[in-house]
Each structure stands twice: as C-alpha cells, then as structure tokens.
Amino acid sequence: MNRFVTAATAAIVSFGLAGGAVAGVTEEDLLNDAATPGDVLTNGMGRDLQRYSPLDTLNKDNIQNLFPAWAFSFGGEKQRGQETQPLIYDGVMYVTGSYSRMYAIDLKSGEELWQYDARLPEGILPCCDVINRGGAIYGDNIYFGTLDARIVALDLKTGDVKWNKKIADYKEGYSYTAAPLIVNGLVITGNSGGEFGIVGEVQARDAETGDLVWTRPVIEGHMGTLNGEESTMTGTLNATWPGDMWKTGGGATWLGGSYDADTDTLVFGTGNPAPWNSHLRGAGTPSEGNTGDNLYAASRLGIDPATGEIKWHFQTTPREGWDFDGVNEVVSFTDKDGNKRYATADRNGYFYVLNREDGAFVNATPFVSNITWAEGIDETGRPIFVEDARPGNPLEADKGEMVFSVPSFLGGKNWMPMAHSQKTGMFYVPSNEWGMDIWNEPISYKKGAAYLGAGFTIKPIFESHIGSLKAIEPETGDIKWDFQNDAPLWGGVMTTAGGLVFFGTPEGEFIALDDETGEKLWSFQTGSGIVGQPVTYEFEGEQYVTIVSGWGGAVPLWGGEVAKKVNYLNQGGTVWTFKLPKQLAMAN
Ligand code: CA
Ligand code: CA
C-alpha cells in the first residue's frame, strides 16, 4: 500500500504549496481522494461516491483480528440519529454529531482536540430528526451545514469560525443536513425542507470568502443567478406544472451531490414535488399545455460546476405521488465492458444505470419485491404506471381513496449510501422491503407549515425481515445475494479491495460481509443503533475502520407500525474506531 502514500505525498508537493494558491488540501487532493487511503477528505470516500477503499491489508483471512482501538462519546443529552461520515486528515478525525455539532479528534488517542456547537435558533423545522451527514475539507478549512439552513467554514486546527452564511430561511421550512461538496474552490450545497413547500436549489460559494457564485433552483420557472446577476430560467414556465403550483414545488436537493471529474459534471438529485397530493399537480386543460410531469422534481440533474447551468436531466418518477424523492446518490463507475456509467438506486424501488456523457437512460431493474405503483420501466426510462395504485383524488370527500403501496414512502432505499466495488464490479445496496397505506387529502400552502395533502402508515410486508443489503450486478440488474435484517437498514455501506462489505444495523451490530457470497465474517455490538457511514484509512502503517453509532433518523419518527416494532432500540452517540494491529495483519 506504500504506493498510495507516496502518490498522496507527491500530490501535495506538486499541486499544493508549490502551486501557491491554496495551503492545505487542494483540488488535486480531492480529485485523488479515493486512491489515497492515508486520508478521507470527501463524503463518499471520493467525489464519485463509490465508497470503495483500495486497502487490502485487512481482508477475509484476518478480519477476525480487527479490534477496537478507541471510542469517543459525543456527550451531552443530544443523543439522536448519528448519520455522519467521519473525515480523516493529517492525524485528525473530523466528525459531525446530531444538533449541528463538529468534533476534531486525535487520530491516535481518540482525545478531543476541539468541538464546535452551532447555536440553533428556536423554531427550526427539520423533517426527519436533528441529523447531520458530514463535512468537507478544503484548504485550511472544514465546512459543514447546520439545521437552521446555514453553511459554516471552520479552521481545521482550532475550530474557529472563518465564515457562516445563510443558505435559506429556516422559518419557511428550510434546513440543511447533507455533507457539502467541494469542486474547483467552490463549496456546493443543496437544501432540505421538501415537506414544507420549499423550492429545491443548488448553490455554489467561494470556499475562501463564502460569497455566492451561482444558484440554481431546480423547479421550472424559477430564475438562477451567476455572480450576483440573473442567469437563466430553470426549464420552461408551465411546461410541466399547472398554474402557480411551481412556486412552492418542492424538489429539495437534501442529500447533496456527487462530482464526475471525467465529464466535469455535478450530479444532484431532487426530492418529491410538493405537495404530496399529486392530483393538484396534474396536467391542466389541454389549452394550458403542460404535461403534469413536474420537472425537475424527483429527478437527477447534471449541472455545470462553473456556471450552475443544467446540462441534462433524468426524471425517475414523473408526477410523483408517493414521496419517492429522487435524491438518492449517483455513483460514477466504469462497467465490465468499459462503458462510463452512473448508477443510482431510487426510493421508487428501481436501480437505474445512466450514460455519463449526457445522463441518458441505459437500463433499470427492480431491487425490492412486490412493487405496486409501476409495472416496470420502459425503454425510454419512464415508469409504466399502474393507475389504480395511485392514491385517489380527494375531490369531494375529505379523504381520497386509500391504496396499499410498495415501497413505502421511506423508500426501497432512502438516504443511506450504497457502495461500488472495483474488485467485484457489484453495487452493495442497503434496501428496505416494506409498504404503506397512503391516501390524499385537500391541502393549501401555508408558509412554514407541512405541505403534504396526504396521510400514511408504514407496514412490514414480510415476517422475516425489513432490511435487505443486496449485491447487484449493474450490467444486468441481477441480485447476486442479499443479507436480511429484522429492522430497516438506515446506514451507509463501504467496500474494500480486501473483499469486505461493511455496514451497521439499527440493532447495533457493525458487520463485515464477504463481498462475493454475503457471508457474515465479523461483527461488533456498538451499544446503540447504527445509521452512520463507515470509513477505512491507513495510519502509521496500520489499517483502521471507523463507524459512528447512535440510533435515530426518520424511522422512529415516521415509521408507523414499523416504528413501534423498533421502539426498544437505545439512542446514542459514539465514534467507534477499530484497527488491525500490525503484528496480526499476516495472521489467519
Ligand atoms: Ca484519500
Ligand atoms: Ca420527501
């Protein structure tokens, strides 16, 4: 593994300080992040979000020798869903906690170096627990978003605030929980709040000053900006939305995005159109001419990082009516035939492969069982809707016809990121098999209030399990194996050149599976439910693995009958760090 360390060192010398522009972490370091296991600078372990480590020191033969090195408690009374991914740089771990907290921890000892607690105002409106999904490192700063819809730059060494900027007004229902993305010196953020009739947007700021460079709203009819001036309108006004519904059209970009350096494209997903009641967003009279597809909600967007212009779009669920947000991460990869592709596993239960040049549809296959709302995906990538499976129009009664729908609104897959192995070529997708009763209700927009027009309750569909980690071959969509879990899976996945697939369960187990068979090779009970994202890295010649444990997130709040089933799980907030001691690395 020494060649990776050498490459990282060389990159810092030739592109960092020698370049003179930026001290500390450079664009070149971010570009190489996936291949340099001495640090983890980006969410996704590389901006293509593969979550694949080239480290093979720890492998199937010696995983039994992986032991805890240290544990760190977030402390306080704020033990809520810990969905974060730690970052590793220059002997320090940077990790965010619930309630918009950031910690710097000594990588060797596990001691705290500094802590930053955002002062959150009364009246914030996070929909799905007080979570945070991680930071981003660039230059001498670490960046992260706060629940009051702000983005903060902190000094890496001291935790002092360099700048603190408002993304949007939390009183309107906006918040921010995703890890920021850094490309060419720009800090790129989305927004949260899709259940409050907000408008999804992507923003780019100068990393040094925090000044806005461009904004790109994602719902048609809204105007973008570039360098403080209006740039272009998103889409075409009233092409796919009736009347004024686009003004509060949702499409929150709440999971952040990825960056495909090969095509110089930001890829962001967009959430549900608002409100949930799709009958209010349908096509109008023929003279109005709109299609009712509600662009660009429930879509993936390719965006030019320099200007914020939309290069392409792919809509997973036109006139979405089940809360199938289209935000899920888009992973750049090269398939077995050498084609450059994107893969994304949607809330709607289908696994999509797209072309990286233009976002064009390649194929889609179901990755969960018993899907009710569509018969399949046609050759253009559009769902073949089952019209009776759409919740009914609440025309005269106060409640439309209820339907039972699979997946549930929390999705065949929710926010929790999948991983792609360059070794096996497969995707490891954390999925959930569940359904819901859903019905529509009348609704009108009120600033800062929930804007759903729907009621729902989630139910299991199998006795045996809800959670299902699946190994999927992207060329065919074939599911090679699955690992079933009683509770819904809600944490991220990571895979390694050592042939391991890491993830955690709400029951608290941190698990390593065999990447080819799905066999459980190792596990460790962390004492609270895992909804975090694992990382691995090399430090002082040894391989480490870290996961944050702390149950919470959307399931206990919104899970209906499933929430009752898992209400025995304990909350928490602990960073668990494991290592393979050098003297045991060769042992079997
Ligand atoms: Ca790295
Ligand atoms: Ca949503």
Side-chain angles (χ1 to χ4, degrees):
M1 284 303 105
N2 280 339
R3 69 183 185 278
F4 295 108
V5 176
T6 308
T9 308
I12 289 164
V13 171
S14 55
F15 300 100
L17 297 173
V22 181
V25 172
T26 66
E27 169 65 20
E28 200 65 24
D29 296 334
L30 300 182
L31 193 64
N32 294 330
D33 190 24
T36 53
D39 55 34
V40 178
L41 303 173
T42 56
N43 185 264
M45 296 171 61
R47 292 177 298 188
D48 52 13
L49 308 185
Q50 289 189 356
R51 297 176 186 276
Y52 171 76
S53 172
L55 286 172
D56 59 3
T57 313
L58 179 67
N59 56 48
K60 296 178 193 182
D61 294 328
N62 60 25
I63 180 84
Q64 292 306 328
N65 298 327
L66 184 65
F67 295 112
W70 50 261
F72 175 91
S73 171
F74 289 147
E77 296 164 7
K78 298 169 174 176
Q79 308 291 328
R80 297 289 292 262
Q82 312 295 352
E83 296 188 354
T84 192
Q85 183 212 289
L87 298 174
I88 312 292
Y89 177 62
D90 198 17
V92 181
M93 177 180 295
Y94 298 91
V95 58
T96 61
S98 53
Y99 289 95
S100 307
R101 293 173 291 173
M102 171 73 80
Y103 301 81
I105 304 168
D106 184 278
L107 202 51
K108 192 174 181 75
S109 66
E111 280 177 282
E112 180 175 301
L113 301 173
W114 54 258
Q115 175 177 344
Y116 171 82
D117 286 35
R119 266 190 219 160
L120 298 171
E122 296 289 323
I124 54 170
L125 293 165
C127 80
C128 307
D129 208 357
V130 286
I131 56 110
N132 183 280
R133 298 196 171 105
I137 297 177
Y138 182 69
D140 294 328
N141 298 334
I142 183 155
Y143 305 84
F144 86 115
T146 56
L147 288 161
D148 52 349
R150 301 186 71 90
I151 173 85
V152 185
L154 303 176
D155 184 290
L156 275 173
K157 291 276 181 261
T158 63
D160 292 344
V161 176
K162 296 275 192 77
W163 52 258
N164 180 339
K165 301 283 184 180
K166 177 176 163 181
I167 294 172
D169 186 356
Y170 71 86
K171 291 177 186 147
E172 293 181 23
Y174 288 94
S175 55
Y176 188 80
T177 56
L181 172 66
I182 303 206
V183 175
N184 294 327
L186 298 176
V187 182
I188 298 158
T189 51
N191 61 23
S192 304
E195 273 56 59
F196 296 93
I198 60 90
V199 174
E201 185 167 88
V202 182
Q203 299 182 345
R205 288 188 157 73
D206 184 295
E208 279 304 303
T209 63
D211 293 340
L212 265 180
V213 175
W214 55 257
T215 62
R216 173 51 57 192
V218 301
I219 299 295
E220 75 179 25
H222 294 270
M223 193 64 76
T225 66
L226 176 63
N227 298 323
E229 316 247 315
E230 284 193 347
S231 57
T232 56
M233 182 186 285
T234 298
T236 306
L237 183 61
N238 285 134
T240 68
W241 287 82
D244 283 343
M245 297 300 288
W246 59 277
K247 289 183 178 172
T248 50
T253 48
W254 58 263
L255 196 49
S258 53
Y259 175 62
D260 177 19
D262 286 348
T263 61
D264 191 29
T265 306
L266 303 172
V267 187
F268 271 72
T270 64
N272 61 283
W276 285 20
N277 177 354
S278 64
H279 299 279
L280 295 170
R281 300 180 268 102
T285 62
S287 62
E288 288 179 85
N290 82 82
T291 64
D293 280 355
N294 310 141
L295 290 173
Y296 297 106
S299 300
R300 307 301 191 280
L301 298 179
I303 297 174
D304 183 333
T307 62
E309 291 299 311
I310 294 174
K311 297 162 82 165
W312 53 259
H313 75 274
F314 177 78
Q315 189 173 41
T316 42
T317 316
R319 190 155 69 95
E320 189 284 314
W322 302 262
D323 193 34
F324 293 152
D325 292 45
V327 293
N328 285 358
E329 75 285 8
V330 176
V331 179
S332 311
F333 75 108
T334 303
D335 74 9
K336 284 181 177 154
D337 301 321
N339 298 305
K340 290 187 173 184
R341 302 298 197 212
Y342 293 124
T344 187
D346 200 86
R347 284 263 278 266
N348 72 17
Y350 288 90
F351 182 91
Y352 293 81
V353 176
L354 308 177
N355 185 338
R356 268 205 257 164
E357 286 303 322
D358 53 6
F361 175 73
V362 176
N363 63 52
T365 45
F367 65 92
V368 291
S369 316
N370 302 358
I371 292 174
T372 57
W373 67 278
E375 286 172 31
I377 306 295
D378 75 16
E379 68 277 4
T380 69
R382 194 177 175 87
I384 305 161
F385 286 100
V386 177
E387 276 310 323
D388 289 349
R390 182 180 291 272
N393 191 349
L395 267 184
E396 294 178 13
D398 58 354
K399 185 172 162 179
E401 191 193 344
M402 183 173 83
V403 298
F404 183 73
S405 178
V406 179
S408 82
F409 73 93
L410 290 179
K413 174 178 170 298
N414 201 282
W415 79 275
M416 56 285 193
M418 62 186 182
H420 171 66
S421 171
Q422 293 177 13
K423 173 177 165 281
T424 65
M426 289 199 283
F427 280 83
Y428 301 97
V429 180
S431 76
N432 289 311
E433 309 263 8
W434 50 12
M436 64 176 166
D437 288 328
I438 181 169
W439 61 91
N440 287 325
E441 297 165 353
I443 182 79
S444 54
Y445 176 77
K446 185 166 167 284
K447 181 175 151 179
Y451 186 48
L452 299 184
F456 44 81
T457 185
I458 292 185
K459 298 175 171 178
I461 55 173
F462 298 123
E463 284 281 314
S464 54
H465 68 286
I466 298 170
S468 169
L469 179 69
K470 296 186 168 84
I472 298 179
E473 189 177 72
E475 293 81 6
T476 60
D478 288 350
I479 297 169
K480 292 297 183 185
W481 52 257
D482 75 320
F483 180 94
Q484 298 178 349
N485 193 67
D486 188 36
L489 295 180
W490 209 256
V493 182
M494 172 183 74
T495 184
T496 74
L500 305 168
V501 177
F502 285 94
F503 69 107
T505 69
E507 293 90 337
E509 269 198 291
F510 186 42
I511 296 174
L513 302 181
D514 183 310
D515 62 351
E516 285 165 300
T517 65
E519 183 196 349
K520 191 199 274 191
L521 301 176
W522 175 91
S523 74
F524 182 89
Q525 175 53 246
T526 62
S528 178
I530 295 175
V531 293
Q533 311 167 53
V535 292
T536 189
Y537 48 94
E538 194 172 59
F539 178 58
E540 297 184 340
E542 294 174 308
Q543 186 173 352
Y544 285 72
V545 180
T546 296
I547 185 73
V548 181
S549 169
W551 172 236
V555 174
L557 297 173
W558 294 94
E561 289 181 19
V562 171
K564 289 178 205 154
K565 188 176 144 84
V566 294
N567 67 6
Y568 69 95
L569 296 167
N570 287 328
Q571 294 175 189
T574 301
V575 182
W576 281 99
T577 290
F578 305 85
K579 80 167 177 177
L580 178 67
K582 209 176 273 175
Q583 63 273 25
L584 295 178
M586 300 309 290
N588 288 334

